[in-house]
Amino acid sequence: MNKKTSIFRITIGLFVCLFFLLFLGLHFHTTQNSTQEKLTVAIVKDSTENKKISTFNKKIASAIGKKLKKKVILKTVTATTAIQNKQKYSVIIGLHEKAMNKQEIKHSLVYLYIPNELVSLKDKGLSNLSATTKKISIVKNIDYPQSLVLSDIKLHFERESSAADAINSVMTKRTRAAIVSALDYTALTSKNIDYLENLKTNQSTPPVSAQAYYLYVNKDTSAKKAFTSFQGSQALARLSFNILGQDYTKQ
């Protein structure tokens, strides 16, 4: 056997061994994934909501799955679908209080508070909400601010399909002011110089309370413990800062 033949056979042998090892690794990975426990998580998504909220919620689902060492199966659904099919999910992330009954709220945790902004024209500032009878626009996915409920103030609200529509109603003087998410207001004003020149946010009495987001746990105590551990370690706060620009995890 000459030297060239020996080198050729050694090369072929190494190639076959490498292929076999790759096959074993792929088979092990596939088998592990098929036998790994699964965690089905519903992410509530609203078409009018800031996209960063959905990204934030998906990261929470991944964090819970990682702590439990389970493969996360994400289902993006509406709030109505999530509640109607709640038995199918271990966790539902992104619910608003208005979508749940008292029992569902009891099994939920508030994990995020997105501030609302009261926006008006610069030359027509609004601060005392109890003194106005004018129309105020509010984005349809925002709950009626709890601070106004407690104050028993009856405002003439007009629901708008998006923050942009709510802001435009103020710009065109169709409404006196608008209540929109702070995230949406920042995003809109960063793209439209007319908003910066003509609009301002107002410190109101009573204040326009933040929008609370809920995480519903369906009788899965391990998932609840995993989330509270993630929340208590300040990891949730850091995630909020990284994705949303500030820590909105505390009221």
Side-chain angles (χ1 to χ4, degrees):
M1 183 185 300
N2 59 42
K3 188 175 181 180
K4 288 184 178 180
T5 302
S6 297
I7 293 173
F8 177 75
R9 288 182 176 180
I10 291 170
T11 303
I12 293 296
L14 289 173
F15 179 78
V16 171
C17 289
L18 180 61
F19 178 80
F20 183 68
L21 288 172
L22 286 172
F23 174 79
L24 284 178
L26 181 62
H27 177 71
F28 175 77
H29 181 71
T30 304
T31 303
Q32 187 182 44
N33 280 344
S34 63
T35 58
Q36 187 179 14
E37 284 190 72
K38 296 178 176 59
L39 185 76
T40 305
V41 180
I43 302 295
V44 176
K45 188 175 181 181
D46 189 304
S47 60
T48 65
E49 199 164 59
N50 192 289
K51 292 180 180 179
K52 290 181 179 180
I53 299 292
S54 181
T55 300
F56 182 73
N57 291 340
K58 289 176 182 178
K59 292 290 186 181
I60 292 175
S62 298
I64 295 173
K66 186 176 181 180
K67 279 189 171 292
L68 296 176
K69 297 181 180 178
K70 292 183 179 182
K71 182 180 179 181
V72 176
I73 307 299
L74 290 178
K75 303 290 184 180
T76 302
V77 296
T78 64
T80 302
T81 300
I83 290 298
Q84 287 176 346
N85 301 289
K86 62 186 177 185
Q87 298 302 326
K88 294 182 179 180
Y89 314 117
S90 296
V91 182
I92 302 174
I93 305 175
L95 288 166
H96 293 179
E97 185 176 0
K98 65 183 179 183
M100 299 180 286
N101 59 35
K102 290 182 179 179
Q103 189 65 21
E104 289 157 354
I105 292 173
K106 183 180 177 181
H107 289 90
S108 301
L109 301 168
V110 182
Y111 68 94
L112 190 64
Y113 300 89
I114 298 297
N116 291 321
E117 298 284 10
L118 179 66
V119 182
S120 66
L121 293 170
K122 283 185 176 179
D123 60 348
K124 294 181 179 294
L126 179 64
S127 58
N128 188 354
L129 291 177
S130 62
T132 183
T133 57
K134 303 292 186 180
K135 294 179 183 178
I136 295 178
S137 59
I138 183 171
V139 184
K140 68 178 184 179
N141 69 335
I142 293 178
D143 292 338
Y144 193 97
Q146 187 65 22
S147 54
L148 303 183
V149 175
L150 296 173
S151 303
D152 198 31
I153 294 176
K154 307 297 183 184
L155 295 177
H156 187 177
F157 274 143
E158 282 203 357
R159 290 284 179 178
E160 299 289 351
S161 60
S162 68
D165 289 341
I167 293 298
N168 283 333
S169 74
V170 177
M171 290 287 288
T172 57
K173 300 182 180 180
R174 184 167 58 81
T175 60
R176 180 71 171 76
I179 296 176
V180 298
S181 156
L183 291 178
D184 289 335
Y185 183 69
T186 299
L188 288 169
T189 53
S190 67
K191 297 176 182 178
N192 192 323
I193 194 169
D194 286 342
Y195 292 164
L196 285 174
E197 291 178 348
N198 294 286
L199 298 173
K200 70 173 183 176
T201 57
N202 304 267
Q203 295 294 323
S204 64
T205 305
V208 180
S209 52
Q211 176 72 46
Y213 286 76
Y214 289 77
L215 181 146
Y216 173 81
V217 182
N218 187 16
K219 299 178 182 178
D220 189 338
T221 56
S222 63
K224 184 175 181 179
K225 287 179 180 178
F227 173 72
T228 53
S229 172
F230 181 67
Q231 187 180 41
S233 68
Q234 295 300 306
L236 183 65
R238 289 194 294 272
L239 186 65
S240 174
F241 188 84
N242 292 336
I243 295 177
L244 306 177
Q246 288 190 48
D247 176 13
Y248 292 127
T249 63
K250 302 173 187 65
Q251 193 168 25

